[in-house]
């Protein structure tokens, strides 16, 4: 089966936990074919560079997000990859020794209408005692659907839906949301035969209180996928109605006491106490019932209902008008003269190239998020005999020297009267750039300074953003559906998903 994973990139997001070394050691020592590349995404805001290289691993690349959260980290990982398949592993799992072999077999067995395959998860629990509340919760991963602890997706499927929704800030629900959006395209997801072990990591007493922040993410899921999202995502129904009732009883007790109605306040307080006791016992009964566990359950059962309610209400406000996730485009194309560099008519001299303010920073911001970039430029001076093609290419080379490399460069050397299909506003260069990089035009943006740029984008099925300059005619500005005052602000719109 040698070479059977040449079409797959392995992506591991990490915040540098010690478990990363355990995972990498297991991958280095496993048998079977290696993926084309291992991309480790360092999601720490700062810190010394991660050094994951060791004998036995596939070729390793480390990229950094600067601390954007697990959804953004996974997005950067798959965006910088170029293979058909992207296999995600969390940095706190341990793959079986035959994981590579079984992954290769899982991928080879999939028909074209299947977009992803999930691995199987085991969670080891203590043999000599009952599991704690936290251990039981972690054990639920073994039966969860579409978790990215071990899940491989076709890269095209990720691109089609914009990848992971980065409005999910935690490692919670972002994987279920992605799976539902992928399945909404008509694609299927299956379970494979490869296995990983997910150990129960040590936590402090208050972890169950902190995870209540996920109630806001549940609200986002409902806003995006409707009231039946739990059934579609195979997600367990929680205790939110009871938490709301217990919290309401506590607030009523306080309000009635302040209002001078002690008997009614006592009844409300009794309701709160009964609800809290029921919740605590439901968590204590199946566990080891040690002094530490009972104390932890008692303390956290008192604070979880109001915390869950608070985060639910916070999510209801925060996500009340949330639009569908669009994500980042796969490709952003730029006009050259007047957009990236100051316009010098029929320029054939590289020494005259002067980038506009903020151009390098704007392009680097796209590169940092894994978005490919390209240049599409009309050079009618070649067709008119005013400059040579070699001079036009030399100017483009200087632009790349000053602004960084482009993934594609498309040049129309024709005069307007030649009637070619590449000169903007014709769509030829946009289509050629998309074809070269295997990008759907619908996932492409073209940024330029005149109507011909946005018209070329529209003709190709791409999005266009107009950045007006003094040479842009007023009627072109008025007609543009999407315009931005500066190049930097146009790129900011793209990075915000507003394209």
């Amino acid at each position: 089966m040698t070479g059977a994973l040449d079409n797959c990139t392995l992506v591991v997001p990490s915040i540098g936990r010690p478990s990363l070394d355990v995972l990498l050691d297991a991958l280095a020592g496993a048998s079977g074919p290696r993926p084309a590349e291992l991309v480790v995404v360092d999601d720490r805001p700062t810190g010394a560079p991660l050094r994951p290289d060791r004998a036995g691993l596939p070729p390793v690349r480390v990229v950094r997000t600067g601390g954007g959260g697990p959804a953004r980290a996974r997005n950067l990982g798959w965006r910088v990859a170029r293979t058909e398949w992207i296999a995600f592993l969390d940095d706190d799992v341990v793959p079986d020794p035959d994981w590579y072999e079984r992954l290769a077999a899982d991928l080879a067995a999939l028909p074209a209408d299947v977009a992803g395959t999930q691995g199987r998860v085991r969670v080891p629990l203590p043999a000599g005692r009952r599991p704690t509340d936290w251990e039981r919760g972690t054990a639920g991963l073994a039966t969860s659907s579409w978790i990215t602890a071990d899940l491989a997706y076709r890269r095209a499927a990720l691109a089609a839906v914009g990848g992971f929704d980065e409005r999910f800030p935690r490692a919670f629900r972002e994987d279920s949301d992605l799976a539902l959006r992928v399945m909404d395209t008509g694609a299927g997801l299956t379970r494979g035969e490869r296995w990983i072990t997910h150990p129960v990591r040590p936590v402090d007493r208050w972890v169950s209180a902190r995870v209540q922040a996920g109630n806001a993410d549940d609200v986002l899921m409902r806003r995006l996928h409707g009231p039946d999202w739990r059934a579609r995502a195979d997600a367990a129904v929680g205790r939110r109605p009871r938490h709301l009732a217990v919290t309401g009883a506590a607030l009523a007790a306080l309000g009635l006491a302040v209002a001078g109605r002690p008997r009614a306040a006592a009844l409300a307080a009794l309701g709160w106490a009964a609800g809290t006791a029921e919740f605590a016992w439901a968590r204590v009964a199946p566990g080891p019932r040690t002094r530490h566990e009972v104390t932890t359950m008692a303390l956290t059962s008192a604070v979880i209902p109001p915390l869950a309610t608070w985060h639910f209400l916070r999510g209801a406000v925060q996500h009340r008008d949330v639009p569908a996730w669009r994500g980042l485009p796969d490709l952003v194309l730029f006009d050259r003269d007047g957009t990236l560099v100051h316009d010098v008519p029929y320029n054939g001299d590289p020494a005259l190239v002067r980038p506009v303010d903020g151009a390098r920073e704007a392009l680097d911001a796209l590169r940092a998020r894994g978005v490919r970039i390209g240049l599409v430029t009309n050079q009618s001076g070649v067709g008119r005999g005013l400059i040579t093609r070699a001079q036009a290419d030399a100017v483009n080379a200087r632009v790349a020297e000053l602004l960084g490399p482009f993934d594609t460069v498309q040049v129309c050397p024709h005069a307007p009267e030649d009637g070619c299909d590449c000169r903007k506003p014709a769509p030829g260069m946009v289509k050629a750039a998309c074809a070269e990089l295997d990008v759907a035009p619908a996932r492409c943006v073209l940024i330029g300074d005149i109507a011909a740029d946005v018209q070329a984008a529209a003709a190709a099925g791409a999005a266009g953003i107009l950045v007006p300059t003094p040479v842009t005619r007023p009627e072109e500005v008025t007609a543009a559906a999407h315009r931005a005052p500066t190049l930097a602000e146009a790129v900011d719109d793209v990075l915000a998903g507003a394209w």
Side-chain angles (χ1 to χ4, degrees):
M1 197 174 289
T2 302
L5 289 179
D6 289 347
N7 65 343
C8 181
T9 297
L10 178 57
V11 173
V12 177
S14 180
I15 53 174
R17 296 183 289 191
S19 59
L20 175 63
D21 288 324
V22 179
L23 166 65
L24 295 174
D25 288 342
L27 290 171
S31 60
R34 271 29 181 182
E37 188 178 26
L38 166 60
V39 177
V40 177
V41 186
D42 185 348
D43 195 38
R44 299 172 300 164
T46 59
L50 296 176
R51 303 193 179 279
D53 298 73
R54 60 202 70 196
L57 289 177
V60 178
R61 176 168 29 157
V62 178
V63 294
R64 300 194 74 154
T65 64
R72 179 172 294 185
R74 294 193 189 103
N75 280 340
L76 179 58
W78 73 260
R79 286 190 179 280
V80 302
R82 297 293 177 260
T83 53
E84 177 186 1
W85 284 95
I86 310 294
F88 296 100
L89 283 177
D90 284 350
D91 74 346
D92 57 351
V93 305
V94 183
D96 278 11
D98 63 352
W99 186 83
Y100 288 128
E101 297 171 2
R102 290 188 177 271
L103 173 63
D106 287 343
L107 298 184
L110 295 179
D113 61 348
V114 172
T117 168
Q118 179 180 336
R120 298 181 183 272
V121 183
R122 70 173 70 87
V123 179
L125 295 176
R129 60 167 174 79
R130 295 178 178 180
T132 64
D133 179 70
W134 176 251
E135 291 167 342
R136 294 193 304 275
T138 304
L141 294 173
T143 55
S144 296
S145 295
W146 323 131
I147 57 171
T148 43
D150 179 359
L151 187 55
Y153 275 105
R154 294 187 191 272
R155 190 185 188 282
L158 295 169
V161 300
F164 292 87
D165 189 334
E166 296 176 15
R167 295 170 298 189
F168 290 91
R170 288 162 286 277
F172 184 68
R173 301 302 189 208
E174 84 292 352
D175 41 15
S176 297
D177 165 75
L178 174 64
L180 292 184
R181 286 185 289 118
V182 168
M183 289 189 289
D184 283 343
T185 68
L189 299 176
T190 66
R191 290 184 184 270
E193 297 302 324
R194 61 197 186 277
W195 283 86
I196 60 169
T197 297
H198 193 301
V200 179
R201 57 186 173 89
V203 292
D204 64 75
R205 168 168 281 167
W206 298 102
V207 64
S208 59
R210 291 195 299 274
V211 300
Q212 299 308 311
N215 281 276
D217 303 320
D218 284 350
V219 175
L220 179 55
M221 287 291 289
R222 183 183 177 90
R223 292 281 194 268
L224 294 171
H225 300 289
D228 65 339
W229 73 268
R230 287 186 182 274
R232 297 177 57 213
D234 196 22
V237 178
R239 295 176 59 100
R240 185 179 301 125
R242 278 177 280 188
H243 288 335
L244 287 170
V246 170
T247 303
L251 292 175
L254 290 173
L256 290 167
V258 171
R261 300 176 60 185
R263 181 172 297 180
L267 288 174
L270 182 63
W272 168 82
T276 300
E278 182 276 329
F279 180 38
W281 178 246
R283 302 168 71 204
V284 168
R289 306 186 194 179
T290 62
R291 176 178 297 180
H292 181 275
E293 178 73 357
V294 171
T295 302
T296 297
M297 295 301 99
L299 292 172
T300 56
S301 295
V303 299
I304 283 175
L307 280 174
T309 301
W310 160 250
H311 287 296
F312 168 74
L313 295 174
R314 176 176 62 83
V317 173
Q318 180 181 355
H319 303 307
R320 61 188 181 279
D321 296 315
V322 65
W325 175 252
R326 194 176 190 186
L328 299 180
D330 296 331
L331 173 64
V332 178
L333 300 173
F334 293 89
D335 169 59
R336 192 189 80 183
D337 301 318
T339 301
L340 290 181
V341 301
H342 292 282
D343 188 13
V344 178
Y346 309 117
N347 183 27
D349 184 357
L352 298 179
V353 174
R354 292 187 305 115
V356 303
D357 291 343
R360 179 64 191 246
E361 293 79 5
L363 297 186
D364 282 347
L366 291 168
R367 295 183 183 109
R369 297 287 294 277
V371 179
R372 288 180 279 184
I373 59 176
L375 198 64
V376 287
T377 177
N378 289 346
Q379 293 300 315
S380 65
V382 176
R384 290 167 168 162
L386 300 175
I387 60 174
T388 66
R389 177 58 188 262
Q391 288 176 309
D393 290 343
V395 170
N396 287 338
R398 177 60 174 164
V399 172
E401 181 182 351
L402 294 173
L403 299 181
F406 294 90
D407 295 284
T408 180
V409 175
Q410 303 292 329
V411 178
C412 171
H414 304 108
E417 59 270 17
D418 290 341
C420 67
D421 63 358
C422 55
R423 178 177 171 82
K424 296 175 291 185
M429 286 192 289
V430 179
K431 290 183 175 180
C434 290
E436 178 184 340
L437 300 178
D438 193 24
V439 170
R443 303 295 303 180
C444 173
V445 177
L446 194 161
I447 299 175
D449 67 323
I450 61 175
D453 297 315
V454 295
Q455 289 168 359
I465 302 178
L466 183 73
V467 180
T469 67
V471 304
T472 312
R473 295 195 299 270
E475 59 269 25
E476 294 178 333
V477 177
T478 302
H482 188 170
R483 52 187 178 268
T486 66
L487 176 65
E489 289 172 279
V491 170
D492 286 345
D493 284 351
V494 170
L495 292 175
W499 51 276

